C-alpha cells in the first residue's frame, strides 16, 4: 500500500520557537494533503487542506498565520507551528490523498510538546 | 453535509470473541466509507474501504464490514478477537471526488485475556 512518511515523530521545544513538520508521500503523488490535530482520547480535527501549488484551505478557527502550510511539490507538504506556546502541544497527523482512488493514507504523527 | 456516529466509545471483548464496532453515517450523496485503526502514539492505518463496489468489504487482519444503505450503517466485525486488536478504531465518510473526510469520534477496543 501507499506510504506516507511524517517527520519528526516527536519534538520538544521552548515556548516562542517555531517547529516544522514534514509530510511526504513516498510512492505516489499527492495533489492534496491534509493536516489534522488530535487531542488525547479524541478524534481527528481537520486543520487544513493543502493543495500542491496553491494556498492551503484552513478550517474555521484555525489561525493560518500560526500554522503555516506549504505544499511545494506533489510529494511534500510542511506544517510550521510558529511561535509555539504550551497550548499548541498536541499530536499532529498528516495524510495524503491518492488520486483518483480517493483514499487517504496517514503519516505516523508528530507529538509536539512545548515547554 | 456528511457525518459519522460510532455507538460506544469503548468496547471490551474477550480474546476469541466476536468483535462488532458500530458506525452509522449521514450523507446526501453516495458515500465512500472507511475504517481506520490507530495504535497508541501512531498515525491511522487503513483497515478497509467501501467505494460503491461490493457491499461486503474484507480488510486486513481479518476484519470486514458491510455497507447497508437502508440502515445507513457500515459496522466493522471480526469473528475472533486477538490481543493485538486492542486499539482505537475510526469510521470515516467522504464521497467520490470529495476531498474532506469526516471522522467519527472513535471506539476504543479492549481485548481481555
Amino acid at each position: 500500500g501507499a506510504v506516507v512518511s511524517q517527520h519528526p515523530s516527536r519534538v520538544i521545544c521552548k515556548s516562542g520557537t517555531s517547529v516544522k513538520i514534514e509530510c511526504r508521500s513516498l510512492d505516489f503523488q499527492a495533489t492534496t494533503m491534509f493536516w489534522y490535530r488530535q487531542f488525547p482520547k479524541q478524534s481527528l480535527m481537520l486543520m487544513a487542506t493543502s493543495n500542491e501549488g496553491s494556498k492551503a484551505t484552513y478550517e474555521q478557527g484555525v489561525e493560518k498565520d500560526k500554522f503555516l502550510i506549504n505544499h511545494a511539490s506533489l510529494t511534500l507538504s510542511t506544517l510550521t507551528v510558529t511561535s509555539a506556546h504550551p497550548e499548541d502541544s498536541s499530536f499532529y497527523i498528516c495524510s495524503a490523498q491518492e488520486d483518483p482512488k480517493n483514499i487517504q493514507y496517514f503519516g505516523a504523527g508528530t507529538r509536539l510538546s512545548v515547554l | 453535509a456528511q457525518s459519522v456516529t460510532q455507538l460506544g466509545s469503548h468496547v471490551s471483548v474477550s480474546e476469541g470473541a466476536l468483535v462488532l464496532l458500530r458506525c452509522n453515517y449521514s450523507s446526501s450523496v453516495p458515500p465512500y466509507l472507511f475504517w481506520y485503526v490507530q495504535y497508541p502514539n501512531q498515525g491511522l492505518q487503513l483497515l478497509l474501504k467501501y467505494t460503491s463496489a461490493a457491499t461486503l468489504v474484507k480488510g486486513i487482519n481479518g476484519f470486514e464490514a458491510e455497507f447497508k444503505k437502508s440502515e445507513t450503517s457500515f459496522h466493522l466485525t471480526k469473528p475472533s478477537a486477538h490481543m493485538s486488536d486492542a486499539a482505537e478504531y475510526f469510521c470515516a465518510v467522504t464521497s467520490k471526488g470529495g476531498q474532506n473526510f469526516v471522522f467519527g469520534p472513535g471506539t476504543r477496543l479492549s481485548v481481555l485475556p
Side-chain angles (χ1 to χ4, degrees):
Chain A
V3 178
V4 174
S5 173
Q6 187 173 340
H7 179 80
S9 59
R10 185 178 182 94
V11 58
I12 301 172
C13 68
K14 293 182 178 180
S15 184
T17 60
S18 294
V19 174
K20 179 184 284 188
I21 304 170
E22 291 187 349
C23 182
R24 295 180 184 271
S25 57
L26 297 186
D27 50 3
F28 66 100
Q29 293 185 329
T31 55
T32 306
M33 291 185 174
F34 302 87
W35 288 96
Y36 295 86
R37 184 172 180 175
Q38 186 179 32
F39 293 99
K41 299 185 179 181
Q42 294 189 28
S43 189
L44 283 72
M45 181 189 77
L46 180 65
M47 297 175 66
T49 302
S50 169
N51 296 294
E52 187 269 335
S54 64
K55 292 183 178 180
T57 303
Y58 290 82
E59 295 300 301
Q60 190 173 8
V62 178
E63 300 176 60
K64 61 181 180 181
D65 295 330
K66 173 77 170 176
F67 299 99
L68 299 179
I69 291 173
N70 184 279
H71 193 159
S73 76
L74 287 172
T75 59
L76 174 63
S77 176
T78 60
L79 168 69
T80 300
V81 182
T82 63
S83 186
H85 290 282
E87 58 265 31
D88 299 323
S89 299
S90 190
F91 193 56
Y92 294 88
I93 307 176
C94 75
S95 71
Q97 182 157 295
E98 185 180 22
D99 297 320
K101 295 181 180 179
N102 215 165
I103 300 172
Q104 285 191 30
Y105 294 96
F106 286 79
T110 297
R111 176 138 334 261
L112 172 63
S113 299
V114 184
L115 306 179
Chain B
Q2 297 176 308
S3 66
V4 175
T5 57
Q6 291 181 240
L7 184 62
S9 60
H10 187 198
V11 171
S12 292
V13 300
S14 298
E15 190 174 19
L18 171 72
V19 175
L20 171 61
L21 303 182
R22 299 178 185 276
C23 172
N24 288 88
Y25 70 92
S26 172
S27 178
S28 58
V29 296
Y32 281 11
L33 294 156
F34 303 81
W35 275 101
Y36 286 88
V37 60
Q38 184 181 34
Y39 297 99
N41 294 311
Q42 294 188 28
L44 276 66
Q45 180 182 7
L46 180 65
L47 275 179
L48 48 78
K49 61 187 185 295
Y50 165 77
T51 55
S52 76
T55 57
L56 180 61
V57 180
K58 294 186 183 298
I60 62 172
N61 301 340
F63 284 95
E64 64 181 39
E66 185 172 9
F67 171 68
K68 292 186 176 180
K69 183 178 179 180
S70 61
E71 299 178 7
T72 61
S73 68
F74 190 58
H75 301 330
L76 181 71
T77 61
K78 181 174 180 177
S80 177
H82 192 271
M83 296 297 288
S84 61
D85 295 326
E88 189 85 20
Y89 291 80
F90 293 96
C91 182
V93 64
T94 187
S95 57
K96 183 178 181 180
Q99 283 202 327
N100 289 356
F101 277 38
V102 176
F103 284 88
T107 297
R108 181 173 300 278
L109 175 65
S110 296
V111 182
L112 307 175

Coordinates of all heavy atoms in Angstrom, one line a residue, chain A residues 26-89:
Chain A
L26 N 5.6 8.7 -0.2 CA 6.9 8.0 -0.7 C 6.7 7.3 -2.0 O 7.7 7.3 -2.8 CB 7.4 7.0 0.4 CG 7.8 7.6 1.7 CD1 8.4 6.6 2.6 CD2 8.7 8.8 1.6
D27 N 5.6 6.8 -2.3 CA 5.4 6.0 -3.5 C 4.2 6.4 -4.4 O 3.8 5.6 -5.2 CB 5.4 4.5 -3.2 CG 4.4 4.2 -2.1 OD1 3.7 5.1 -1.7 OD2 4.3 3.0 -1.7
F28 N 3.7 7.6 -4.2 CA 2.7 8.1 -5.0 C 2.7 9.6 -5.0 O 3.2 10.2 -4.1 CB 1.3 7.5 -4.6 CG 0.8 8.0 -3.3 CD1 -0.1 9.0 -3.1 CD2 1.3 7.4 -2.1 CE1 -0.6 9.5 -1.9 CE2 0.8 7.8 -0.8 CZ -0.1 8.9 -0.7
Q29 N 2.0 10.2 -5.9 CA 1.9 11.7 -6.0 C 0.6 12.1 -5.4 O -0.4 11.5 -5.6 CB 2.0 12.2 -7.4 CG 3.4 11.9 -8.0 CD 3.6 12.5 -9.4 OE1 2.6 12.6 -10.1 NE2 4.8 13.0 -9.7
A30 N 0.7 13.1 -4.5 CA -0.5 13.6 -3.8 C -0.7 15.0 -4.1 O 0.0 15.9 -3.6 CB -0.3 13.3 -2.3
T31 N -1.7 15.3 -4.9 CA -2.1 16.7 -5.1 C -2.7 17.4 -3.9 O -2.6 18.6 -3.7 CB -3.0 16.9 -6.3 OG1 -4.2 16.1 -6.1 CG2 -2.4 16.4 -7.6
T32 N -3.2 16.5 -3.0 CA -3.9 17.0 -1.8 C -3.4 16.3 -0.6 O -3.3 15.1 -0.6 CB -5.4 16.8 -1.9 OG1 -5.9 17.4 -3.1 CG2 -6.1 17.4 -0.7
M33 N -3.0 17.1 0.4 CA -2.6 16.6 1.7 C -3.4 17.3 2.7 O -3.9 18.4 2.5 CB -1.1 16.7 1.9 CG -0.2 15.9 1.0 SD 1.5 16.0 1.4 CE 2.2 14.8 0.4
F34 N -3.6 16.6 3.9 CA -4.4 17.1 5.0 C -3.6 17.2 6.3 O -2.7 16.3 6.5 CB -5.6 16.2 5.2 CG -6.5 16.1 3.9 CD1 -6.2 15.1 3.0 CD2 -7.5 17.0 3.7 CE1 -7.0 15.0 1.9 CE2 -8.3 16.8 2.6 CZ -8.1 15.8 1.7
W35 N -3.8 18.1 7.1 CA -3.2 18.2 8.4 C -4.3 18.2 9.4 O -5.3 18.9 9.4 CB -2.4 19.5 8.5 CG -1.2 19.5 7.7 CD1 -1.0 20.0 6.5 CD2 0.1 18.9 8.1 NE1 0.3 19.7 6.0 CE2 1.0 19.0 7.0 CE3 0.5 18.2 9.2 CZ2 2.3 18.5 7.1 CZ3 1.8 17.7 9.3 CH2 2.7 17.9 8.2
Y36 N -4.1 17.3 10.4 CA -5.1 17.1 11.5 C -4.4 17.3 12.8 O -3.2 17.1 13.0 CB -5.6 15.6 11.5 CG -6.4 15.2 10.3 CD1 -5.8 14.7 9.1 CD2 -7.8 15.3 10.3 CE1 -6.5 14.3 8.0 CE2 -8.6 14.9 9.2 CZ -7.9 14.4 8.1 OH -8.6 14.0 7.0
R37 N -5.2 17.6 13.8 CA -4.7 17.7 15.2 C -5.6 16.8 16.0 O -6.8 16.7 15.8 CB -4.9 19.2 15.7 CG -4.3 19.4 17.0 CD -4.3 20.9 17.3 NE -3.8 21.2 18.7 CZ -3.6 22.4 19.2 NH1 -3.9 23.4 18.5 NH2 -3.1 22.5 20.4
Q38 N -5.0 16.1 16.9 CA -5.7 15.1 17.7 C -5.4 15.4 19.2 O -4.3 15.3 19.6 CB -5.4 13.7 17.3 CG -6.2 12.7 18.0 CD -5.9 11.2 17.6 OE1 -4.7 10.9 17.3 NE2 -6.9 10.4 17.6
F39 N -6.4 15.7 19.9 CA -6.3 15.8 21.4 C -6.5 14.4 22.0 O -7.1 13.5 21.4 CB -7.3 16.8 21.9 CG -7.1 18.2 21.4 CD1 -7.8 18.7 20.3 CD2 -6.1 19.0 22.0 CE1 -7.5 20.0 19.9 CE2 -5.9 20.3 21.5 CZ -6.6 20.8 20.5
P40 N -5.9 14.3 23.2 CA -6.0 13.0 23.9 C -7.4 12.4 23.9 O -8.3 13.1 24.3 CB -5.4 13.3 25.3 CG -4.6 14.5 25.1 CD -5.2 15.3 24.0
K41 N -7.5 11.2 23.5 CA -8.7 10.4 23.5 C -9.8 11.0 22.7 O -11.0 10.9 23.0 CB -9.1 10.2 25.0 CG -8.1 9.4 25.8 CD -8.6 9.1 27.2 CE -7.6 8.2 28.0 NZ -8.1 7.9 29.3
Q42 N -9.5 11.7 21.7 CA -10.5 12.4 20.8 C -10.2 12.0 19.4 O -9.2 11.4 19.1 CB -10.5 13.9 21.0 CG -10.9 14.4 22.4 CD -11.1 15.8 22.4 OE1 -11.4 16.5 21.4 NE2 -10.9 16.4 23.6
S43 N -11.1 12.3 18.6 CA -11.0 12.1 17.1 C -10.1 13.1 16.5 O -9.6 14.0 17.1 CB -12.4 12.0 16.5 OG -12.3 11.6 15.2
L44 N -9.9 12.9 15.2 CA -9.1 13.9 14.5 C -9.8 15.1 14.1 O -11.0 15.0 13.7 CB -8.6 13.2 13.2 CG -7.4 12.2 13.3 CD1 -7.9 10.9 13.9 CD2 -6.8 11.9 11.9
M45 N -9.2 16.2 14.3 CA -9.8 17.5 13.9 C -9.0 18.0 12.7 O -7.8 18.3 12.7 CB -9.7 18.5 15.0 CG -10.3 19.9 14.7 SD -10.0 21.1 15.9 CE -8.3 21.5 15.5
L46 N -9.7 18.2 11.5 CA -9.1 18.7 10.3 C -8.7 20.2 10.6 O -9.5 21.0 10.9 CB -10.0 18.6 9.1 CG -9.4 19.1 7.8 CD1 -8.2 18.2 7.4 CD2 -10.5 19.1 6.7
M47 N -7.4 20.5 10.3 CA -6.9 21.8 10.5 C -6.9 22.5 9.1 O -7.4 23.7 9.0 CB -5.5 21.8 11.0 CG -5.3 21.2 12.4 SD -3.6 21.2 12.8 CE -3.2 22.9 12.9
A48 N -6.4 21.8 8.1 CA -6.3 22.5 6.8 C -6.1 21.5 5.7 O -5.6 20.3 6.0 CB -5.1 23.5 6.8
T49 N -6.5 21.9 4.5 CA -6.3 21.1 3.3 C -5.2 21.7 2.5 O -5.3 22.9 2.2 CB -7.6 21.0 2.5 OG1 -8.6 20.4 3.3 CG2 -7.4 20.1 1.3
S50 N -4.2 21.0 2.1 CA -3.1 21.5 1.4 C -3.1 21.0 0.0 O -3.1 19.8 -0.3 CB -1.8 21.0 2.1 OG -0.6 21.3 1.4
N51 N -3.1 22.0 -0.9 CA -3.1 21.6 -2.4 C -1.8 22.0 -3.0 O -1.4 23.2 -2.8 CB -4.3 22.3 -3.1 CG -5.6 21.8 -2.5 OD1 -6.0 20.7 -2.7 ND2 -6.4 22.7 -1.9
E52 N -1.2 21.2 -3.7 CA 0.0 21.4 -4.4 C 0.0 22.7 -5.3 O -0.9 22.8 -6.1 CB 0.5 20.2 -5.2 CG 1.9 20.3 -5.8 CD 1.9 20.9 -7.1 OE1 0.9 20.7 -7.8 OE2 3.0 21.4 -7.6
G53 N 0.9 23.6 -5.0 CA 1.0 24.7 -5.9 C 0.0 25.9 -5.6 O 0.0 26.8 -6.3
S54 N -0.8 25.7 -4.6 CA -1.7 26.8 -4.2 C -1.8 26.9 -2.7 O -1.2 26.1 -2.0 CB -3.1 26.5 -4.8 OG -3.7 25.3 -4.2
K55 N -2.5 27.9 -2.3 CA -2.7 28.2 -0.9 C -3.5 27.1 -0.2 O -4.4 26.6 -0.8 CB -3.3 29.6 -0.6 CG -2.4 30.7 -1.0 CD -3.0 32.1 -0.7 CE -2.1 33.2 -1.1 NZ -2.8 34.5 -0.7
A56 N -3.2 26.9 1.1 CA -3.9 25.9 1.8 C -5.3 26.5 2.2 O -5.5 27.7 2.3 CB -3.1 25.5 3.1
T57 N -6.2 25.6 2.4 CA -7.6 26.0 2.9 C -7.7 25.6 4.3 O -7.6 24.4 4.7 CB -8.6 25.2 2.1 OG1 -8.5 25.5 0.7 CG2 -10.0 25.7 2.5
Y58 N -7.9 26.6 5.2 CA -7.9 26.4 6.6 C -9.4 26.2 7.1 O -10.3 26.9 6.6 CB -7.3 27.5 7.3 CG -5.8 27.6 7.2 CD1 -5.2 28.2 6.0 CD2 -4.9 27.1 8.1 CE1 -3.9 28.2 5.8 CE2 -3.5 27.1 7.9 CZ -3.0 27.7 6.8 OH -1.7 27.7 6.6
E59 N -9.5 25.3 8.1 CA -10.8 25.2 8.7 C -11.1 26.3 9.6 O -10.2 27.0 10.1 CB -10.9 23.9 9.5 CG -10.7 22.6 8.6 CD -11.8 22.5 7.5 OE1 -13.0 22.5 7.9 OE2 -11.5 22.5 6.3
Q60 N -12.4 26.5 9.9 CA -12.8 27.6 10.7 C -12.1 27.5 12.1 O -12.2 26.4 12.7 CB -14.3 27.7 10.9 CG -14.9 28.9 11.5 CD -16.4 29.0 11.5 OE1 -17.0 28.0 11.1 NE2 -17.0 30.1 11.9
G61 N -11.6 28.6 12.6 CA -11.0 28.6 13.9 C -9.5 28.3 13.9 O -8.9 28.4 15.0
V62 N -9.0 27.9 12.8 CA -7.5 27.6 12.7 C -6.8 28.8 12.2 O -7.1 29.3 11.1 CB -7.3 26.4 11.8 CG1 -5.8 26.1 11.7 CG2 -8.0 25.2 12.3
E63 N -5.8 29.3 12.9 CA -5.1 30.5 12.6 C -4.1 30.2 11.5 O -3.1 29.5 11.7 CB -4.4 31.1 13.8 CG -5.3 31.5 14.9 CD -4.5 31.9 16.1 OE1 -3.7 32.9 16.0 OE2 -4.5 31.3 17.2
K64 N -4.3 30.8 10.3 CA -3.4 30.5 9.2 C -2.0 31.1 9.4 O -1.0 30.6 8.9 CB -3.9 30.9 7.9 CG -4.2 32.4 7.8 CD -4.8 32.8 6.4 CE -5.1 34.3 6.3 NZ -5.7 34.6 5.0
D65 N -1.9 32.1 10.2 CA -0.6 32.7 10.4 C 0.2 32.0 11.5 O 1.4 32.1 11.7 CB -0.7 34.2 10.8 CG -1.3 35.1 9.7 OD1 -1.0 34.7 8.6 OD2 -2.0 36.0 10.0
K66 N -0.6 31.2 12.3 CA 0.0 30.4 13.3 C 0.5 29.1 12.8 O 1.6 28.6 13.1 CB -1.0 30.2 14.4 CG -0.6 29.2 15.5 CD 0.3 29.9 16.5 CE 0.5 29.1 17.7 NZ 1.5 29.7 18.6
F67 N -0.3 28.5 11.9 CA 0.0 27.2 11.3 C 0.3 27.4 9.8 O -0.7 27.4 9.0 CB -1.1 26.2 11.6 CG -1.4 26.0 13.1 CD1 -2.4 26.6 13.7 CD2 -0.6 25.1 13.8 CE1 -2.6 26.4 15.1 CE2 -0.8 24.9 15.1 CZ -1.8 25.5 15.8
L68 N 1.5 27.5 9.5 CA 1.9 27.8 8.1 C 2.0 26.5 7.3 O 2.7 25.6 7.7 CB 3.2 28.6 8.0 CG 3.2 30.0 8.6 CD1 4.5 30.6 8.5 CD2 2.1 30.9 8.1
I69 N 1.3 26.4 6.2 CA 1.4 25.2 5.4 C 1.9 25.5 4.0 O 1.5 26.4 3.4 CB 0.0 24.6 5.3 CG1 -0.5 24.0 6.6 CG2 0.0 23.4 4.2 CD1 -1.9 23.5 6.7
N70 N 2.9 24.6 3.6 CA 3.5 24.8 2.3 C 3.4 23.4 1.6 O 3.8 22.4 2.1 CB 4.9 25.2 2.4 CG 5.6 25.5 1.0 OD1 6.0 24.6 0.4 ND2 5.6 26.7 0.6
H71 N 2.9 23.4 0.4 CA 2.8 22.2 -0.4 C 3.5 22.4 -1.7 O 2.9 22.6 -2.8 CB 1.3 21.8 -0.6 CG 1.1 20.4 -1.1 ND1 -0.1 19.8 -0.9 CD2 1.9 19.5 -1.7 CE1 -0.1 18.6 -1.4 NE2 1.1 18.4 -1.9
A72 N 4.9 22.4 -1.7 CA 5.6 22.9 -2.8 C 5.8 21.8 -3.9 O 6.1 22.1 -5.0 CB 7.0 23.3 -2.3
S73 N 5.6 20.6 -3.6 CA 5.7 19.5 -4.6 C 4.6 18.5 -4.4 O 3.9 18.5 -3.4 CB 7.1 18.8 -4.5 OG 7.1 17.9 -3.4
L74 N 4.5 17.6 -5.4 CA 3.5 16.6 -5.3 C 3.7 15.5 -4.3 O 2.9 14.6 -4.1 CB 3.3 15.9 -6.7 CG 2.6 16.8 -7.7 CD1 2.7 16.1 -9.1 CD2 1.2 17.0 -7.4
T75 N 4.9 15.6 -3.6 CA 5.2 14.6 -2.6 C 5.5 15.1 -1.2 O 5.8 14.4 -0.3 CB 6.3 13.7 -3.0 OG1 7.5 14.5 -3.2 CG2 6.0 12.9 -4.3
L76 N 5.4 16.4 -1.1 CA 5.8 17.0 0.2 C 5.0 18.2 0.6 O 4.7 19.1 -0.2 CB 7.3 17.5 0.1 CG 7.8 18.3 1.3 CD1 7.9 17.5 2.5 CD2 9.2 18.9 1.0
S77 N 4.5 18.1 1.8 CA 3.8 19.2 2.5 C 4.4 19.5 3.8 O 4.8 18.5 4.5 CB 2.3 18.9 2.6 OG 1.6 20.0 3.3
T78 N 4.5 20.7 4.2 CA 5.1 21.0 5.5 C 4.1 21.9 6.3 O 3.4 22.7 5.8 CB 6.4 21.7 5.4 OG1 6.2 23.0 4.7 CG2 7.5 20.9 4.7
L79 N 4.1 21.6 7.6 CA 3.3 22.4 8.6 C 4.3 23.1 9.5 O 5.1 22.3 10.2 CB 2.4 21.5 9.4 CG 1.7 22.2 10.6 CD1 0.7 23.3 10.1 CD2 0.9 21.1 11.4
T80 N 4.3 24.4 9.6 CA 5.2 25.1 10.6 C 4.3 25.7 11.6 O 3.4 26.5 11.3 CB 6.0 26.2 9.9 OG1 6.8 25.5 8.8 CG2 6.9 26.9 10.9
V81 N 4.6 25.3 12.9 CA 3.9 26.0 14.0 C 4.8 27.1 14.4 O 5.9 26.9 14.9 CB 3.7 24.9 15.2 CG1 2.9 25.6 16.3 CG2 3.0 23.7 14.7
T82 N 4.3 28.3 14.2 CA 5.1 29.5 14.5 C 4.9 30.0 15.9 O 3.8 29.9 16.5 CB 4.8 30.6 13.5 OG1 3.4 31.0 13.7 CG2 5.0 30.2 12.1
S83 N 6.0 30.5 16.5 CA 5.9 31.0 17.9 C 5.0 30.1 18.8 O 4.0 30.5 19.3 CB 5.3 32.4 17.9 OG 5.4 33.0 19.2
A84 N 5.5 28.8 18.9 CA 4.7 27.8 19.6 C 4.5 28.2 21.1 O 5.4 28.7 21.7 CB 5.4 26.5 19.5
H85 N 3.4 27.8 21.6 CA 3.1 28.0 23.0 C 2.6 26.7 23.6 O 2.2 25.8 22.8 CB 2.0 29.1 23.2 CG 2.5 30.5 22.8 ND1 3.3 31.2 23.7 CD2 2.4 31.2 21.7 CE1 3.6 32.4 23.2 NE2 3.1 32.4 22.0
P86 N 2.6 26.6 24.9 CA 2.2 25.3 25.5 C 0.8 24.8 25.0 O 0.6 23.5 24.9 CB 2.2 25.6 27.0 CG 3.3 26.6 27.1 CD 3.1 27.5 25.9
E87 N -0.1 25.7 24.7 CA -1.4 25.2 24.3 C -1.4 24.6 22.9 O -2.4 24.0 22.4 CB -2.4 26.4 24.3 CG -2.0 27.6 23.5 CD -1.3 28.6 24.3 OE1 -0.6 28.3 25.3 OE2 -1.5 29.8 24.0
D88 N -0.2 24.8 22.2 CA -0.1 24.1 20.9 C 0.4 22.7 21.0 O 0.4 22.0 20.0 CB 0.9 24.9 20.0 CG 0.5 26.3 19.7 OD1 -0.8 26.5 19.6 OD2 1.3 27.2 19.7
S89 N 0.7 22.3 22.2 CA 1.1 20.9 22.4 C 0.0 20.0 22.0 O -1.1 20.1 22.5 CB 1.5 20.7 23.9 OG 2.6 21.5 24.2

